[in-house]
Amino acid sequence: MRMLISFAALLLSVLLLQLGSGGLAPLDAISGIRLEFTRSEVGLLGSAHFAGFFIGCIWAPRILSDVGHSRTFAAFTAAGTIGILSHMLIVDAMAWMVMRVLSGICIAGCYTVVESWLQAKVTNATRGRAIGVYRVVDISGALAAQLMISVLEPASYVSYNILALICCAALVPLVLTRIEQPQVPKARRLRPGLAWKRSPLAVAGVVSAGLTAAAFRMVGPIYGVEVGLSTDEIALFLAAFVLGGALSQYPVGWAADRYDRRIVLIALSVLAILSCVVMVTFAANGTGSAFAAAGLFGLITFPIYSVATAHAHDFASQDERVDISAAFIFYYAVGAIASPWLVASLIDRFGPSAMFSFVSLAHVILIAFSLIRMRSRSAKTRTRYVYAPRTSFVIGRLLGRIREGRDR
């Protein structure tokens, strides 16, 4: 309990940040459709968010080393708030892209601060519990953010103002906390080549995860509109996806710790293709079918990132883990930047089912590559499976000792 109280300010800031910035993606998609943006333009908003996320991941450690934790958090939160507030001042798709870059920078920068702070303050005795609570808060915020759009009017200044107020409120707990700010960690060089060297299959799995998750989270509202869901129903549709992903972590982790992780990746990809078939076949048959299909899709596709990264860590030494974790955030961003615009363009041309055709193709390629890699080398002794959030380049520091099992 004392540990939770000491981190309460950090966790409350994470929750408010998720509510404010996390609610922007579905609101933007629905607002863009109402304002008669093209489907491709709405997709570009999602791509712009992940472009900003990548920029923020690069900048944040450097700014953190210059001005410290609280000031860095304040600066990035201000950038995100400005991006949200500007939406209804300039109603133009290209202008909104710039605003979404700011929101992506905000998310990456703020998570860098929070995770760096947590890493400096946890001990081996409290690490597992602290990260467990952190994950619950993060996922709960993401789930609530999707549900928020059911009460926000699309293309309304009031709606964007509410999100901006919540995002701005995230400043208060962290800036006023009495917890002593930790020493600033040394910024590390990004080494994407190291991850590829240790496991090309893991890189392919992470890119596939980026393609899949970004497509659904950023373009899912377009799909919902196309199949006749109301705004309230789209909120539940997206929330079902997040909830399904949260529920899958333990059973998939159990399987990944007991069987060849390449087999687990192949099984997840096969199931992902089947879930795409279920989505296309049943999502238009009523709201209950759509919610169940979205939950199934999240249940299967969410853990792919963590399984892929765990496979790479099986081949890495302890001193490489932080760099590899950062490299996988880079590869995830590559897939996530490309996916929303490409999928929205396909929907514009071929209809809503094109989104799941695209996802299915990505997983067919991943299955083929997995089979090739299984012929190239044998599996190694497994490290501990860890649910890996896609939040910042410093997440590897936070998870490193847990992956080695040192908190057991």
Side-chain angles (χ1 to χ4, degrees), residues 9-10 12-18 69-82 106 110 113-114 117 163-177:
L10 291 176
L12 181 57
S13 289
V14 168
L15 181 62
L16 292 170
L17 181 69
Q18 270 285 19
H69 289 74
S70 292
R71 289 179 179 177
T72 301
F73 191 90
F76 281 106
T77 303
T81 304
I82 291 168
C106 167
C110 290
V113 171
V114 169
W117 204 320
L163 291 182
L165 288 173
I166 296 172
C167 187
C168 195
L171 277 168
V172 179
L174 189 140
V175 172
L176 294 183
T177 181

Side-chain angles (χ1 to χ4, degrees), residues 201-221:
L201 174 58
V203 171
V206 166
V207 172
S208 296
L211 291 170
T212 300
F216 196 92
R217 293 185 64 184
M218 299 298 169
V219 190

Side-chain angles (χ1 to χ4, degrees), residues 11-94:
L11 298 175
L12 181 57
S13 289
V14 168
L15 181 62
L16 292 170
L17 181 69
Q18 270 285 19
L19 288 174
S21 296
L24 182 60
L27 181 62
D28 260 6
I30 298 172
S31 297
I33 293 171
R34 178 167 294 189
L35 294 169
E36 298 184 348
F37 293 176
T38 67
R39 302 297 190 261
S40 296
E41 287 173 337
V42 174
L44 278 171
L45 300 180
S47 295
H49 170 85
F50 284 106
F53 171 80
F54 178 68
I55 294 169
C57 285
I58 295 290
W59 280 357
R62 301 174 185 178
I63 296 174
L64 186 61
S65 65
D66 289 338
V67 302
H69 289 74
S70 292
R71 289 179 179 177
T72 301
F73 191 90
F76 281 106
T77 303
T81 304
I82 291 168
I84 296 171
L85 281 175
S86 302
H87 273 69
M88 297 314 295
L89 298 179
I90 308 174
V91 181
D92 177 79
M94 295 301 106

Side-chain angles (χ1 to χ4, degrees), residues 256-383:
D257 278 344
R258 285 158 178 79
Y259 304 104
D260 188 331
R261 284 169 178 166
R262 297 168 298 185
I263 297 295
V264 176
L265 268 180
I266 291 172
L268 288 173
S269 289
V270 170
L271 292 173
I273 294 169
L274 293 176
S275 71
C276 288
V277 174
V278 170
M279 182 71 74
V280 172
T281 305
F282 297 106
N285 292 345
T287 55
S289 298
F291 300 157
L296 177 65
F297 187 71
L299 188 81
I300 293 165
T301 59
F302 238 79
I304 290 175
Y305 179 91
S306 295
V307 174
T309 56
H311 177 64
H313 281 283
D314 293 345
F315 296 91
S317 61
Q318 176 61 24
D319 61 352
E320 293 174 335
R321 300 206 187 283
V322 174
D323 291 340
I324 283 182
S325 296
F328 282 128
I329 298 293
F330 164 79
Y331 284 115
Y332 179 84
V334 168
I337 290 170
S339 180
W341 171 78
L342 182 55
V343 169
S345 300
L346 291 172
I347 289 176
D348 206 14
R349 183 167 182 179
F350 299 107
S353 62
M355 178 165 78
F356 295 101
S357 298
F358 171 83
V359 171
S360 296
L361 177 61
H363 286 284
V364 167
I365 295 172
L366 181 58
I367 291 170
F369 193 57
S370 299
L371 294 172
I372 292 171
R373 293 302 303 170
M374 288 182 71
R375 295 173 62 90
S376 300
R377 65 178 175 183
S378 59
K380 287 199 69 174
T381 302
R382 286 183 291 274
T383 57

Side-chain angles (χ1 to χ4, degrees), residues 176-249:
L176 294 183
T177 181
R178 294 184 178 181
I179 303 175
E180 182 182 355
Q181 293 189 53
Q183 291 185 340
V184 177
K186 181 181 178 181
R188 301 179 73 102
R189 182 168 58 92
L190 181 61
R191 301 169 64 191
L194 176 63
W196 177 265
K197 183 178 179 180
R198 291 292 171 263
S199 177
L201 174 58
V203 171
V206 166
V207 172
S208 296
L211 291 170
T212 300
F216 196 92
R217 293 185 64 184
M218 299 298 169
V219 190
I222 298 179
Y223 180 85
V225 169
E226 294 286 348
V227 299
L229 298 180
S230 66
T231 301
D232 291 357
E233 292 165 347
I234 291 172
L236 293 172
F237 180 70
L238 297 174
F241 169 74
V242 176
L243 181 60
L247 293 176
S248 67
Q249 294 302 324

